[in-house]
Amino acid sequence: SSLAKMAVGKNKRLSKGKKGKGKKQVDVFTKKDWYDIKAPSAFQVRNVGKTLVTRSSGMRVATDYLKGRIVEANLADLNKDEDQNYRKMRLQILDIQGKNCLCNFYGMDMTTDKVRSLVKKWQTTIECTVDVSTTDGYKLRLSCIAFTKKRQNQIKKTSYAQTAQIKQIRKKMTDIMTKEASTVDLKDLVRKFIPNSIGNQIEQACQCIYPLKDVFIKKVKTLKAPKFDITKLMEVHGSASEAAPPKADEGTKVDRPADK
């Protein structure tokens, strides 16, 4: 019949069995290497962690796939200080030396729970964002957050700032952030971020307008970075590349019990 004629020659795969049946499943992790991530010298703990990359093969160079990666680390871990656990540091891998990935500062953020714990009723929240350029050509966007507080022996429940005062405080914030960031290079600016010295300075300066509390640089974002310079990166890292990798945790030797 015409139906039978139509079916002949169709479904050619039926006789061959299932597609990809003979293919052996290869574990992808056997083709990958681990690299150590090194933080800049501004932080106490230089070993941030490890990252994974597929080994070089043919035209595909492994290091090209590592460069540009962003890693996020908690400042409490980087500086062995639990009081700074609300700060998140973002580092960017810029160069590979042996099995070490050298990073530089890329951005900073605050944990959501910390910001939530600061925002309360009966007070004014003041935020300010400013774009600044460091002396070595990095363009950064800094965001600052502050809250009004009660004056000494204040009885009134609320402590709201007037719009004119808020504008004055924002102006002060902008001036201080611009002055502090545009007169130093990125390396020194990161050293200012860690102890929150810019926030404390703003708090001091705005005391005469309206008393503030919990003044923080909430977020830092890199908008534009200069052309990559290996000598600058080595300055930031100090002797990171020469430092020997940490010894793996090894167990203590135990005597084997004699067979009875």
Side-chain angles (χ1 to χ4, degrees), residues 30 158 171-172 179 189 191 223 237:
T30 55
T158 59
K171 172 93 173 59
K172 271 261 194 299
K179 183 176 96 17
L189 187 57
R191 290 201 161 94
L223 301 176
H237 273 266

Side-chain angles (χ1 to χ4, degrees), residues 25-254:
Q25 201 66 42
V26 182
D27 185 15
V28 287
F29 282 91
T30 55
K31 295 181 183 168
K32 293 185 185 286
D33 281 335
W34 290 96
Y35 283 77
D36 290 315
I37 301 167
K38 299 281 178 193
S41 57
F43 306 106
Q44 285 175 28
V45 178
R46 306 296 291 279
N47 289 327
V48 181
K50 289 180 180 293
T51 188
L52 206 60
V53 71
T54 309
R55 259 183 233 118
S56 304
S57 64
M59 299 289 284
R60 194 182 180 290
V61 184
T63 52
D64 293 347
Y65 284 82
L66 282 169
K67 284 175 190 171
R69 283 188 186 184
I70 312 291
V71 293
E72 198 173 82
N74 198 304
L75 190 58
D77 300 332
L78 290 173
N79 272 355
K80 293 181 179 170
D81 180 8
E82 274 309 310
D83 297 337
Q84 295 177 320
N85 63 1
Y86 58 88
R87 285 212 178 283
K88 294 185 293 188
M89 290 289 173
R90 286 161 71 88
L91 307 169
Q92 185 175 30
I93 297 174
L94 293 180
D95 195 41
I96 317 297
Q97 297 200 342
K99 282 270 186 265
N100 289 340
C101 304
L102 305 186
C103 297
N104 202 357
F105 177 81
Y106 184 72
M108 187 176 78
D109 209 348
M110 272 173 86
T111 55
T112 319
D113 62 307
K114 175 71 174 174
V115 180
R116 298 276 186 280
S117 72
L118 299 173
V119 178
K120 295 186 183 81
K121 290 202 301 189
W122 322 123
Q123 63 183 20
T124 307
T125 304
I126 302 162
E127 287 183 286
C128 175
T129 303
V130 63
D131 291 356
V132 293
S133 294
T134 60
T135 52
D136 52 355
Y138 282 89
K139 196 171 181 199
L140 305 171
R141 179 167 290 157
L142 310 185
S143 301
C144 179
I145 191 166
F147 302 91
T148 56
K149 70 171 179 184
K150 283 185 176 180
R151 289 193 168 88
Q152 266 183 320
N153 37 21
Q154 177 180 323
I155 298 161
K156 196 166 78 168
K157 179 182 176 183
T158 59
S159 48
Y160 296 132
Q162 294 170 347
T163 316
Q165 291 171 324
I166 293 171
K167 282 182 178 171
Q168 273 180 293
I169 289 170
R170 274 208 202 99
K171 172 93 173 59
K172 271 261 194 299
M173 283 178 173
T174 308
D175 293 347
I176 291 171
M177 285 196 285
T178 308
K179 183 176 96 17
E180 289 296 311
S182 56
T183 52
V184 292
D185 59 5
L186 185 72
K187 185 170 85 244
D188 293 333
L189 187 57
V190 173
R191 290 201 161 94
K192 286 183 184 181
F193 289 148
I194 294 168
N196 193 34
S197 61
I198 300 175
N200 297 335
Q201 216 173 311
I202 291 168
E203 193 176 328
Q204 232 71 71
C206 296
Q207 215 61 35
C208 55
I209 305 166
Y210 204 104
L212 297 179
K213 63 173 182 184
D214 299 326
V215 185
F216 293 105
I217 299 292
K218 182 178 151 195
K219 191 172 180 181
V220 181
K221 184 180 176 186
T222 304
L223 301 176
K224 205 170 173 193
K227 208 160 160 272
F228 174 63
D229 183 357
I230 184 71
T231 50
K232 286 261 168 68
L233 186 66
M234 294 323 293
E235 273 174 40
V236 170
H237 273 266
S239 56
S241 54
E242 290 97 66
K247 242 179 137 184
D249 292 336
E250 289 170 4
T252 49
K253 205 171 178 185
V254 178

